[in-house]
Each structure stands twice: as structure tokens, then as C-alpha cells.
Amino acid sequence: MKTFLIVLTIIFFQANVQATEIFENFMNTRALGMGNAFSAVVDDHNALWYNPAALDRIKGLHLTLLDFQVGTDAYDIYTTYQNAVGSGYSNLIRSFYGKQVWMGISDALAFSMRGFAMAGYDYFNLSFNLHNPAFSNVTMNATNDVGFNSGFAFSLIPDALRFGVVVKRVTRYGGRIPFGPATLASLSNSYITSLINNVGTGYGLDSGLLIELPYGIKPSFSFVWHDIGQTRFIPNPGSLAPPVMDDEAVAGFSATVDATVVKIRPAIDFKHINIPEEQIGKRIHVGTELEFPGLAVRFGANQGYYTAGVTLNFKYVKFEAATYGIEVGAYPGQTEDRRYIGTFTIDLNMDPSFDFSSTAGARPRAFQRR
């Protein structure tokens, strides 16, 4: 019996030290500033990734020419980027051995209007972390998604019950694999590169519901199912299949308190409902957005760690920044990776009257909606 308990303890311990972050297929700066609680809040082309039903909320016509986003948890982001795009992964591991490392870069070109949106995008995500210093083991994630999303939404009950669908085509490059002591001892860049040098193309489907009650604080309830049945990738000849996009169920709530000069939006998302083995604390996201004319500030909690964000909006140009924490261990509070992200957006938009003039709509695009 004693031996059995010892073995059970070892298995439990190893399961904890091997735990890593929950990988997301796409993240948005505005969402991250408010704890990534966004499925019941989103109201622009980002509904293509967060909640298809919210496409029915979009006001006016939008041509997003640039939606450039960059994030890191490293101080020397330029060196990290050079090594990453040059496949200098062994140099990265040498430089940051024993630390958490993450870097994300994305850009999108999108067209959106009420009930419909489409976007082409490129999303690069690199991360690795040391699991067990006593028995060195690093899990590395290096993926680059080049995709096209298209979706539509409509009101089943006008402005109260909305339903939407997004279809996607994604070419994914890269891999997600653990490196043991033997690999880390040699740190052969060619070998590491060969392990993650995969490419494949897949097709996926998302669907979403949005219920809005048009009175009082206007409570909104959302349910989204991402990558229904998983989005798997058919590998190119001579390549292995990249990691799949796992299906994800998300339930969310938000409200809007209109105090004339400021709109206050508290929100909560319960993500990855279909992964019960993950700690509940890693799946809960809460946040609040305070929206003023031309300015928004946000705060919240992502997987148990604080988040904060800000937006400056100048009608056709928008700057956003956020900081947030990710749990890379087994449970909230074990191992935080503090990350910083910023977005620069150029969005040519016009109100529903098709007036491009600077006087069309007294408030900037981000603050005309709802």
C-alpha cells in the first residue's frame, strides 16, 4: 500500500510539472485588457474569432487595412524575433534557459458590415518554458497560421437573439513538442527545426449565439463553439501534420451601464468548458471596460492574474495596449508568465448613411456602436 501511494504521488507530481498553458488560436488586445472575457462584448470584425453571432452587432461599413499586433514577455524583443523568424531556436533556448518565453505577431486585412465579415490574417505564436529544472524538459510551441475567415450572422428575434457561423481555411506551419535532456544537451538547431518543420491545411467551423435583453443594464448572454469537431490539418507531402485546433465551448455574460459620459461593461467568460481536466481557475476570465469618447480603459483577471488595457481612438486610426498574465503551470497561482501586447489599427469606416465626411457620426467608430 505504501509503495502504491509513493507511485501515485510521483505520477501526480509529474502531471503537475508537465502542465503548460492552454494554447489559444487567436487573441485580441482589447479582449486581453479585460481578462479575455470578450465573447458577449465583441462588436467588430474580431467576432470572426470570438463570437460569430456578434457580427450582427456591427455598425456601418469597415475596411480594416491594417490590424498589426505584437506581444512579448521578453525584454529583448528584437533578438527574440530575429532568432524566431530565422529558426534560431537553439540560440533562444540558450539565451532564456530556465525562463518562460513567449512572442506573438499578427496582422489582418478585413471587411465587415452588419451581419457579414471576412478577413485574411497571419498569426505567429512562439513559446517555450522549462518544466522541471531537476530533469530538464522544455515544451516548445512554434506555430504560424495563415488563414481566411468568413462569417455571417442574423437576428432570430430582432436585436435580441442572434445566431452566427464562421467558416475558416487555415494553413498552419510549425509544431508543439517537448524536448528532453538529450536534445537540450546538444541544442542542435537543425534537429529542433526538423521537429517543428510541419505544414498542413485545414478547414474549420465556428458557431455562436447571443441573447441580449433590451432594458436596464442590457444584459447579454453568449455561447460559442469554436472549431466544431476539431480543425485538423492535412499535411503537405513529406511533412507531418501540425497540431490541431481543438474545439472549445465558451459561455459568457456582459452588461452595459450607460452613465452618459462613460459606458461601463462588466463581463465574464467561462472558456474551455469541454476540458474538465483543466483547473476551473484557468478557464475563468473576468473584466470590465470603461468607454469614454475616444478613449477606453480596461482591467480584469485572466486565469487568476490581473490584466489592464487602454485604447486611443482617432476615428480611422486606433492604438491599443494591454498587459495580462498566463498560467503556464497546472493551477492558478503556480507559475505566471506576464505578457505585454499592443495593436495599431487603420480602419476606414463610414456610418450606415454612407457618408465618408469627417462629420459623419459625432463619435469615433469604436464608440458609435450599441
XYZ file of all heavy atoms in Angstrom, residues 217-312:
739
model
N -29.727 47.369 -17.714
C -28.300 47.327 -17.986
C -27.985 46.507 -19.245
O -26.824 46.225 -19.531
C -27.522 46.743 -16.796
C -27.994 45.308 -16.500
C -27.685 47.639 -15.565
C -27.157 44.609 -15.449
N -29.001 46.138 -19.987
C -28.850 45.415 -21.251
C -27.948 44.176 -21.102
O -26.895 44.072 -21.730
C -28.292 46.340 -22.337
C -29.179 47.530 -22.638
C -28.579 48.420 -23.705
C -29.485 49.607 -23.989
N -28.912 50.528 -25.001
N -28.365 43.234 -20.280
C -27.546 42.030 -20.110
C -27.465 41.224 -21.403
O -28.429 41.118 -22.158
C -28.276 41.253 -19.010
C -29.683 41.757 -19.056
C -29.594 43.194 -19.467
N -26.289 40.661 -21.652
C -26.059 39.834 -22.838
C -25.486 38.488 -22.405
O -24.600 38.420 -21.550
C -25.074 40.512 -23.797
O -25.591 41.736 -24.282
N -25.988 37.430 -23.023
C -25.528 36.079 -22.748
C -25.041 35.465 -24.059
O -25.706 35.603 -25.098
C -26.648 35.225 -22.154
C -27.265 35.803 -20.918
C -28.315 36.714 -21.007
C -26.793 35.459 -19.659
C -28.897 37.257 -19.876
C -27.366 36.000 -18.518
C -28.414 36.902 -18.624
N -23.906 34.803 -24.004
C -23.353 34.235 -25.232
C -22.970 32.776 -25.028
O -22.624 32.351 -23.915
C -22.113 35.034 -25.673
O -21.082 34.922 -24.708
N -23.013 32.047 -26.127
C -22.478 30.690 -26.153
C -21.824 30.482 -27.508
O -22.440 30.736 -28.544
C -23.555 29.631 -25.934
C -22.977 28.234 -25.916
C -22.349 27.737 -24.786
C -23.036 27.431 -27.053
C -21.782 26.466 -24.776
C -22.475 26.167 -27.055
C -21.844 25.670 -25.907
N -20.577 30.039 -27.477
C -19.808 29.868 -28.708
C -19.164 28.486 -28.708
O -18.690 28.009 -27.666
C -18.702 30.939 -28.831
C -18.018 30.840 -30.194
C -19.269 32.330 -28.612
N -19.158 27.878 -29.879
C -18.451 26.608 -30.061
C -17.447 26.811 -31.184
O -17.813 26.947 -32.345
C -19.435 25.491 -30.397
C -18.830 24.112 -30.359
C -17.556 23.781 -30.030
C -19.493 22.880 -30.660
N -17.365 22.423 -30.099
C -18.535 21.839 -30.482
C -20.792 22.561 -31.055
C -18.851 20.501 -30.714
C -21.103 21.221 -31.273
C -20.144 20.211 -31.100
N -16.176 26.871 -30.798
C -15.101 27.070 -31.766
C -14.596 25.729 -32.309
O -14.555 24.731 -31.588
C -13.917 27.799 -31.120
C -14.218 29.186 -30.663
N -14.411 30.231 -31.537
C -14.355 29.704 -29.426
C -14.640 31.336 -30.855
N -14.618 31.041 -29.565
N -14.206 25.728 -33.580
C -13.566 24.557 -34.202
C -14.340 23.276 -33.905
O -13.824 22.313 -33.323
C -12.114 24.429 -33.733
C -11.274 25.622 -34.159
O -10.981 25.725 -35.356
O -10.947 26.456 -33.296
N -15.596 23.292 -34.329
C -16.502 22.173 -34.071
C -15.894 20.869 -34.582
O -15.547 20.747 -35.756
C -17.870 22.434 -34.725
C -18.502 23.687 -34.110
C -18.793 21.231 -34.568
C -19.762 24.154 -34.802
N -15.740 19.913 -33.682
C -15.176 18.625 -34.052
C -13.676 18.645 -34.285
O -13.123 17.678 -34.812
N -13.008 19.711 -33.904
C -11.582 19.974 -34.117
C -11.299 20.356 -35.573
O -11.933 19.861 -36.492
C -10.696 18.778 -33.757
C -10.638 18.440 -32.281
C -9.596 17.372 -32.000
O -9.375 16.455 -32.791
N -8.941 17.483 -30.853
N -10.370 21.265 -35.731
C -9.862 21.619 -37.057
C -8.530 20.904 -37.234
O -7.539 21.243 -36.584
C -9.679 23.136 -37.200
O -10.959 23.781 -37.055
C -9.099 23.490 -38.562
N -8.532 19.901 -38.088
C -7.335 19.102 -38.333
C -6.690 19.530 -39.644
O -7.368 20.011 -40.556
C -7.676 17.608 -38.372
C -8.236 17.095 -37.043
C -8.547 15.603 -37.104
N -9.004 15.121 -35.812
C -8.202 14.694 -34.841
N -6.883 14.695 -35.049
N -8.681 14.269 -33.693
N -5.383 19.296 -39.725
C -4.625 19.768 -40.878
C -4.118 18.593 -41.709
O -3.525 17.652 -41.173
C -3.454 20.639 -40.422
C -3.899 21.877 -39.689
C -3.995 21.887 -38.293
C -4.257 23.013 -40.389
C -4.420 23.011 -37.628
C -4.686 24.155 -39.728
C -4.768 24.157 -38.344
N -4.368 18.669 -43.003
C -3.851 17.669 -43.937
C -2.424 18.075 -44.282
O -2.198 19.152 -44.849
C -4.718 17.592 -45.202
C -6.154 17.217 -44.828
C -4.134 16.600 -46.197
C -7.123 17.272 -45.988
N -1.437 17.253 -43.921
C -0.045 17.665 -44.120
C 0.357 17.715 -45.580
O -0.161 16.952 -46.411
C 0.753 16.592 -43.372
C -0.139 15.395 -43.382
C -1.546 15.929 -43.315
N 1.252 18.617 -45.905
C 1.839 18.663 -47.231
C 2.701 17.419 -47.451
O 3.164 16.805 -46.486
C 2.685 19.924 -47.395
C 1.843 21.171 -47.559
O 0.625 21.138 -47.412
N 2.489 22.289 -47.836
N 2.940 17.027 -48.705
C 3.797 15.866 -48.969
C 5.161 16.003 -48.292
O 5.800 17.052 -48.353
C 3.937 15.879 -50.498
C 2.701 16.567 -50.982
C 2.400 17.611 -49.945
N 5.579 14.958 -47.601
C 6.864 14.965 -46.922
C 6.863 15.659 -45.581
O 7.915 15.824 -44.960
N 5.689 16.080 -45.104
C 5.579 16.794 -43.837
C 4.669 16.032 -42.881
O 3.820 15.234 -43.309
C 5.029 18.204 -44.065
O 4.746 18.848 -42.838
N 4.855 16.271 -41.599
C 3.921 15.782 -40.600
C 2.817 16.815 -40.393
O 2.978 17.985 -40.733
C 4.641 15.519 -39.283
C 5.745 14.458 -39.310
C 6.425 14.379 -37.940
C 5.186 13.100 -39.711
N 1.693 16.375 -39.835
C 0.578 17.297 -39.599
C 0.883 18.216 -38.427
O 1.369 17.763 -37.385
C -0.699 16.510 -39.330
N 0.635 19.515 -38.577
C 0.790 20.442 -37.440
C -0.245 20.129 -36.369
O -1.197 19.373 -36.597
C 0.536 21.810 -38.077
C 0.638 21.608 -39.548
C 0.215 20.198 -39.799
N -0.101 20.701 -35.168
C -1.075 20.460 -34.101
C -2.467 20.939 -34.483
O -2.627 21.955 -35.154
C -0.532 21.251 -32.912
C 0.633 22.023 -33.399
C 1.003 21.561 -34.746
N -3.477 20.201 -34.051
C -4.858 20.526 -34.381
C -5.315 21.756 -33.612
O -4.710 22.154 -32.606
C -5.800 19.346 -34.054
C -5.373 18.090 -34.789
C -5.858 19.102 -32.547
N -6.400 22.373 -34.105
C -7.099 23.395 -33.342
C -8.226 22.678 -32.588
O -9.210 22.234 -33.191
C -7.687 24.463 -34.265
C -6.656 25.339 -34.934
S -7.462 26.596 -35.975
C -6.064 27.619 -36.424
N -8.056 22.518 -31.291
C -9.053 21.796 -30.503
C -10.359 22.570 -30.426
O -10.363 23.804 -30.386
C -8.534 21.540 -29.092
C -7.447 20.485 -29.067
O -7.595 19.461 -29.762
O -6.439 20.684 -28.359
N -11.465 21.831 -30.398
C -12.747 22.504 -30.243
C -12.853 23.066 -28.832
O -12.274 22.550 -27.877
C -13.917 21.575 -30.571
C -13.914 20.309 -29.733
O -12.830 19.913 -29.271
O -14.992 19.731 -29.548
N -13.579 24.176 -28.738
C -13.692 24.897 -27.472
C -15.097 25.449 -27.306
O -15.630 26.122 -28.198
C -12.689 26.055 -27.417
C -12.798 26.884 -26.146
C -12.061 28.213 -26.222
O -11.581 28.578 -27.317
O -11.976 28.906 -25.189
N -15.703 25.168 -26.165
C -17.010 25.721 -25.830
C -16.825 26.856 -24.831
O -16.079 26.727 -23.860
C -17.920 24.645 -25.246
N -17.496 27.986 -25.104
C -17.356 29.184 -24.270
C -18.744 29.725 -23.927
O -19.598 29.881 -24.815
C -16.559 30.288 -24.998
C -16.393 31.507 -24.092
C -15.212 29.777 -25.464
N -18.971 30.021 -22.666
C -20.198 30.688 -22.229
C -19.814 32.035 -21.629
O -18.822 32.128 -20.888
C -20.951 29.848 -21.208
N -20.564 33.077 -21.966
C -20.191 34.400 -21.496
C -21.375 35.254 -21.088
O -22.534 34.961 -21.434
N -21.073 36.314 -20.348
C -22.086 37.290 -19.920
C -21.459 38.671 -19.916
O -20.284 38.845 -19.576
C -22.599 36.961 -18.515
C -23.405 38.078 -17.904
C -24.741 38.246 -18.238
C -22.821 38.983 -17.016
C -25.488 39.288 -17.693
C -23.555 40.025 -16.471
C -24.894 40.176 -16.814
N -22.235 39.661 -20.305
C -21.804 41.053 -20.170
C -23.030 41.930 -19.946
O -24.175 41.504 -20.160
C -21.041 41.523 -21.412
O -21.913 41.728 -22.502
N -22.787 43.158 -19.528
C -23.849 44.148 -19.344
C -23.289 45.500 -19.724
O -22.078 45.679 -19.864
C -24.350 44.143 -17.898
N -24.171 46.466 -19.923
C -23.749 47.823 -20.270
C -24.475 48.827 -19.388
O -25.706 48.889 -19.396
C -24.039 48.149 -21.743
O -23.341 47.228 -22.581
C -23.585 49.569 -22.080
N -23.702 49.571 -18.619
C -24.252 50.637 -17.791
C -23.892 51.957 -18.459
O -22.717 52.326 -18.541
C -23.679 50.593 -16.359
C -24.250 51.737 -15.525
C -23.963 49.249 -15.713
N -24.899 52.662 -18.977
C -24.675 53.905 -19.704
C -24.819 55.086 -18.751
O -25.919 55.461 -18.356
C -25.676 54.020 -20.858
C -25.299 55.118 -21.852
O -24.476 55.979 -21.471
O -25.809 55.098 -22.979
N -23.666 55.662 -18.390
C -23.655 56.797 -17.461
C -23.359 58.106 -18.189
O -22.639 58.972 -17.681
C -22.640 56.557 -16.361
N -23.881 58.260 -19.386
C -23.761 59.455 -20.225
C -22.339 59.659 -20.749
O -22.077 59.481 -21.931
C -24.238 60.712 -19.488
O -25.538 60.475 -18.953
C -24.308 61.904 -20.433
N -21.408 60.050 -19.888
C -20.050 60.314 -20.362
C -19.192 59.050 -20.399
O -18.095 59.057 -20.972
C -19.354 61.373 -19.485
C -20.081 62.696 -19.591
C -19.253 60.908 -18.047
N -19.671 57.991 -19.798
C -18.910 56.741 -19.783
C -19.867 55.556 -19.853
O -20.957 55.587 -19.272
C -18.028 56.641 -18.516
C -18.868 56.707 -17.258
C -17.198 55.356 -18.541
N -19.469 54.562 -20.596
C -20.191 53.297 -20.614
C -19.346 52.262 -19.889
O -18.152 52.102 -20.171
C -20.465 52.847 -22.044
C -21.504 53.698 -22.763
C -21.811 53.149 -24.144
C -22.874 53.995 -24.842
N -23.171 53.485 -26.202
N -19.971 51.553 -18.971
C -19.268 50.566 -18.156
C -19.758 49.179 -18.557
O -20.965 48.905 -18.522
C -19.513 50.810 -16.656
C -19.150 52.252 -16.294
C -18.730 49.815 -15.812
C -19.554 52.640 -14.885
N -18.811 48.310 -18.936
C -19.183 46.968 -19.392
C -18.457 45.901 -18.574
O -17.320 45.551 -18.877
C -18.836 46.776 -20.865
C -19.649 47.634 -21.807
C -19.426 47.227 -23.257
N -20.028 48.212 -24.115
C -19.415 49.321 -24.524
N -18.163 49.546 -24.172
N -20.024 50.179 -25.300
N -19.080 45.365 -17.555
C -18.512 44.196 -16.883
C -18.789 42.946 -17.721
O -19.792 42.867 -18.430
C -19.283 44.155 -15.560
C -20.603 44.796 -15.881
C -20.328 45.840 -16.930
N -17.879 41.968 -17.649
C -18.051 40.757 -18.450
C -17.367 39.580 -17.764
O -16.422 39.745 -16.987
C -17.470 40.954 -19.851
N -17.857 38.395 -18.091
C -17.239 37.159 -17.608
C -17.379 36.091 -18.681
O -18.416 36.007 -19.350
C -17.869 36.683 -16.276
C -17.169 35.412 -15.781
C -19.369 36.474 -16.418
C -17.553 35.025 -14.359
N -16.321 35.341 -18.887
C -16.334 34.196 -19.802
C -15.869 32.952 -19.060
O -14.893 33.009 -18.282
C -15.389 34.419 -20.996
C -16.070 35.102 -22.168
O -17.219 35.566 -22.005
O -15.452 35.183 -23.242
N -16.553 31.856 -19.306
C -16.093 30.550 -18.839
C -15.676 29.793 -20.096
O -16.509 29.331 -20.864
C -17.210 29.818 -18.095
C -16.765 28.500 -17.502
C -15.478 28.324 -17.033
C -17.657 27.452 -17.392
C -15.070 27.129 -16.474
C -17.262 26.239 -16.845
C -15.966 26.074 -16.381
N -14.353 29.717 -20.310
C -13.819 29.155 -21.533
C -13.434 27.686 -21.340
O -13.298 27.208 -20.229
C -12.597 29.963 -22.001
C -12.921 31.425 -22.336
C -11.672 32.270 -22.518
C -10.881 31.888 -23.741
N -11.600 32.221 -24.992
N -13.251 26.996 -22.463
C -12.812 25.595 -22.453
C -13.696 24.742 -21.544
O -13.209 23.930 -20.752
C -11.350 25.500 -22.029
C -10.414 26.299 -22.892
N -10.018 25.873 -24.141
C -9.839 27.512 -22.699
C -9.214 26.780 -24.672
N -9.100 27.794 -23.824
N -14.999 24.945 -21.687
C -15.954 24.177 -20.889
C -15.761 22.679 -21.111
O -15.961 21.871 -20.202
C -17.403 24.586 -21.243
C -17.627 26.059 -20.878
C -18.425 23.710 -20.545
C -18.956 26.597 -21.347
N -15.370 22.314 -22.312
C -15.235 20.902 -22.679
C -13.891 20.297 -22.305
O -13.545 19.214 -22.760
C -15.470 20.734 -24.181
C -14.566 21.627 -25.022
O -14.314 22.775 -24.660
N -14.073 21.122 -26.137
N -13.096 20.987 -21.457
C -11.835 20.415 -20.976
C -11.907 20.344 -19.449
O -11.280 21.136 -18.735
C -10.613 21.250 -21.410
C -10.668 21.581 -22.898
C -9.316 20.502 -21.094
C -9.486 22.380 -23.390
N -12.685 19.409 -18.917
C -12.900 19.365 -17.454
C -11.648 19.047 -16.666
O -11.575 19.331 -15.467
C -13.954 18.249 -17.304
C -13.799 17.393 -18.527
C -13.407 18.342 -19.625
N -10.629 18.451 -17.323
C -9.411 18.114 -16.583
C -8.583 19.339 -16.217
O -7.709 19.271 -15.341
C -8.545 17.123 -17.380
C -8.072 17.628 -18.728
C -9.031 17.293 -19.865
O -10.225 17.058 -19.566
O -8.588 17.262 -21.019
N -8.815 20.466 -16.894
C -8.115 21.694 -16.540
C -8.745 22.319 -15.298
O -9.953 22.252 -15.089
C -8.160 22.703 -17.700
C -7.247 22.375 -18.862
C -5.779 22.629 -18.550
O -5.470 23.104 -17.438
O -4.948 22.331 -19.421
N -7.918 22.941 -14.481
C -8.401 23.628 -13.297
C -9.412 24.702 -13.692
O -9.217 25.431 -14.675
C -7.236 24.281 -12.561
C -6.307 23.301 -11.865
C -6.856 22.854 -10.522
O -7.510 23.623 -9.827
N -6.579 21.618 -10.160
N -10.486 24.816 -12.916
C -11.536 25.798 -13.224
C -10.954 27.210 -13.253
O -11.312 28.033 -14.102
C -12.685 25.696 -12.202
C -13.466 24.406 -12.419
C -13.619 26.908 -12.321
C -14.624 24.212 -11.459
N -10.022 27.484 -12.357
C -9.438 28.817 -12.296
C -8.719 29.220 -13.564
O -8.581 30.414 -13.847
N -8.235 28.234 -14.343
C -7.549 28.549 -15.596
C -8.543 28.816 -16.722
O -8.149 29.260 -17.800
C -6.626 27.394 -15.998
C -5.409 27.240 -15.111
C -4.531 26.078 -15.539
C -3.848 26.344 -16.872
N -2.861 25.292 -17.212
N -9.817 28.561 -16.470
C -10.818 28.709 -17.524
C -11.771 29.875 -17.287
O -12.633 30.140 -18.117
C -11.615 27.402 -17.663
C -10.748 26.230 -18.104
C -11.559 24.959 -18.272
N -11.875 24.339 -16.999
C -12.902 23.505 -16.809
N -13.728 23.239 -17.801
N -13.120 22.961 -15.632
N -11.590 30.574 -16.168
C -12.468 31.707 -15.840
C -11.771 33.016 -16.191
O -10.609 33.238 -15.849
C -12.862 31.682 -14.354
C -13.767 30.471 -14.077
C -13.563 32.971 -13.963
C -14.175 30.342 -12.628
N -12.501 33.893 -16.856
C -11.978 35.189 -17.298
C -13.004 36.263 -16.942
O -14.184 36.133 -17.292
C -11.736 35.179 -18.808
C -10.865 34.038 -19.262
N -9.536 34.196 -19.576
C -11.148 32.720 -19.441
C -9.030 33.021 -19.937
N -9.989 32.113 -19.861
N -12.556 37.303 -16.269
C -13.469 38.390 -15.898
C -12.811 39.726 -16.221
O -11.579 39.846 -16.212
C -13.837 38.342 -14.390
C -14.603 37.078 -14.061
C -12.595 38.456 -13.517
N -13.638 40.711 -16.517
C -13.076 42.020 -16.830
C -14.139 43.097 -16.922
O -15.338 42.813 -16.933
N -13.676 44.336 -17.007
C -14.567 45.496 -17.140
C -13.932 46.497 -18.098
O -12.718 46.711 -18.069
C -14.802 46.164 -15.775
O -15.415 45.232 -14.884
C -15.706 47.392 -15.921
N -14.777 47.099 -18.925
C -14.344 48.137 -19.853
C -15.056 49.435 -19.511
O -16.278 49.458 -19.325
C -14.670 47.725 -21.288
C -14.289 48.760 -22.333
C -14.585 48.268 -23.743
O -15.783 48.144 -24.077
O -13.622 48.021 -24.487
N -14.273 50.518 -19.419
C -14.821 51.859 -19.220
C -14.587 52.630 -20.511
O -13.436 52.908 -20.870
C -14.131 52.560 -18.047
C -14.122 51.812 -16.707
C -13.351 52.611 -15.663
C -15.541 51.529 -16.230
N -15.663 52.979 -21.192
C -15.561 53.590 -22.518
C -15.980 55.056 -22.480
O -17.118 55.396 -22.167
C -16.447 52.820 -23.500
C -16.375 53.332 -24.922
C -17.371 52.612 -25.806
O -17.115 51.464 -26.191
O -18.438 53.210 -26.077
N -15.020 55.932 -22.809
C -15.263 57.359 -22.935
C -15.153 57.721 -24.417
O -14.619 56.940 -25.211
C -14.223 58.157 -22.139
C -14.146 57.787 -20.685
C -13.310 56.753 -20.260
C -14.894 58.470 -19.733
C -13.228 56.411 -18.922
C -14.812 58.133 -18.398
C -13.979 57.099 -17.992
N -15.609 58.901 -24.824
C -15.407 59.314 -26.217
C -13.920 59.350 -26.578
O -13.142 60.090 -25.974
C -16.036 60.713 -26.263
C -17.066 60.692 -25.182
C -16.465 59.859 -24.085
N -13.521 58.531 -27.515
C -12.139 58.494 -27.971
C -11.167 57.748 -27.083
O -9.986 57.624 -27.406
N -11.629 57.232 -25.954
C -10.741 56.577 -25.004
C -11.479 55.446 -24.300
O -12.668 55.559 -23.976
C -10.255 57.591 -23.959
C -9.499 57.030 -22.749
C -8.115 56.531 -23.165
C -9.384 58.100 -21.651
N -10.772 54.346 -24.068
C -11.316 53.263 -23.260
C -10.209 52.706 -22.375
O -9.053 52.602 -22.792
C -11.885 52.159 -24.138
N -10.547 52.379 -21.140
C -9.609 51.728 -20.221
C -10.259 50.435 -19.727
O -11.488 50.336 -19.627
C -9.231 52.641 -19.034
C -8.440 53.840 -19.509
C -10.480 53.083 -18.274
N -9.410 49.456 -19.422
C -9.920 48.131 -19.067
C -9.090 47.526 -17.953
O -7.915 47.840 -17.790
C -9.881 47.208 -20.292
C -10.612 47.767 -21.483
C -10.463 46.904 -22.734
N -11.085 47.596 -23.862
C -10.429 48.411 -24.687
N -9.138 48.584 -24.551
N -11.068 49.021 -25.655
N -9.702 46.623 -17.220
C -8.986 45.847 -16.220
C -9.745 44.539 -16.024
O -10.921 44.414 -16.390
C -8.855 46.614 -14.896
C -10.160 47.104 -14.334
C -10.912 46.312 -13.477
C -10.645 48.361 -14.667
C -12.124 46.773 -12.966
C -11.853 48.834 -14.156
C -12.587 48.030 -13.304
N -9.075 43.552 -15.456
C -9.729 42.269 -15.262
C -8.785 41.237 -14.688
O -7.723 41.559 -14.137
N -9.180 39.964 -14.827
C -8.376 38.842 -14.344
C -8.425 37.733 -15.380
O -9.510 37.328 -15.820
C -8.890 38.343 -13.000
N -7.254 37.271 -15.774
C -7.124 36.180 -16.740
C -6.425 35.010 -16.058
O -5.266 35.130 -15.648
C -6.299 36.650 -17.946
C -6.132 35.562 -19.002
O -7.058 35.276 -19.757
N -4.955 34.956 -19.069
N -7.138 33.910 -15.867
C -6.580 32.721 -15.212
C -5.999 33.052 -13.839
O -4.993 32.497 -13.416
C -5.522 32.072 -16.104
C -6.073 31.617 -17.444
C -5.051 30.919 -18.312
O -3.859 30.908 -18.004
N -5.499 30.320 -19.400
N -6.619 34.000 -13.155
C -6.203 34.344 -11.805
C -5.204 35.474 -11.707
O -4.831 35.880 -10.600
N -4.766 36.041 -12.837
C -3.770 37.113 -12.835
C -4.383 38.400 -13.395
O -5.205 38.358 -14.314
C -2.551 36.711 -13.657
C -1.864 35.473 -13.142
C -1.953 34.266 -13.823
C -1.141 35.506 -11.947
C -1.318 33.118 -13.339
C -0.507 34.381 -11.462
C -0.607 33.181 -12.159
O 0.013 32.052 -11.674
N -3.928 39.525 -12.863
C -4.527 40.803 -13.249
C -4.239 41.141 -14.712
O -3.219 40.744 -15.287
C -4.029 41.930 -12.345
C -2.667 42.485 -12.712
C -2.539 43.531 -13.629
C -1.509 41.973 -12.134
C -1.298 44.044 -13.980
C -0.260 42.488 -12.470
C -0.162 43.517 -13.395
O 1.070 44.018 -13.740
N -5.141 41.894 -15.305
C -4.971 42.419 -16.656
C -5.323 43.902 -16.657
O -6.074 44.373 -15.800
C -5.868 41.695 -17.683
O -7.241 42.055 -17.448
C -5.724 40.183 -17.586
N -4.789 44.635 -17.625
C -5.111 46.052 -17.787
C -4.895 46.433 -19.241
O -4.036 45.852 -19.917
C -4.248 46.919 -16.880
N -5.686 47.397 -19.713
C -5.544 47.805 -21.102
C -6.089 49.192 -21.357
O -6.818 49.754 -20.531
N -5.721 49.748 -22.519
C -6.174 51.084 -22.898
C -6.310 51.152 -24.414
O -5.582 50.461 -25.145
C -5.187 52.159 -22.391
C -3.817 51.984 -23.039
C -5.717 53.567 -22.632
N -7.245 51.976 -24.889
C -7.424 52.248 -26.317
C -7.505 53.748 -26.535
O -8.206 54.452 -25.800
C -8.715 51.603 -26.863
O -8.581 50.189 -26.834
C -8.979 52.031 -28.306
N -6.782 54.230 -27.545
C -6.915 55.602 -28.034
C -7.466 55.513 -29.447
O -6.851 54.877 -30.311
C -5.563 56.316 -28.025
C -4.895 56.494 -26.658
C -3.516 57.119 -26.825
C -5.764 57.356 -25.749
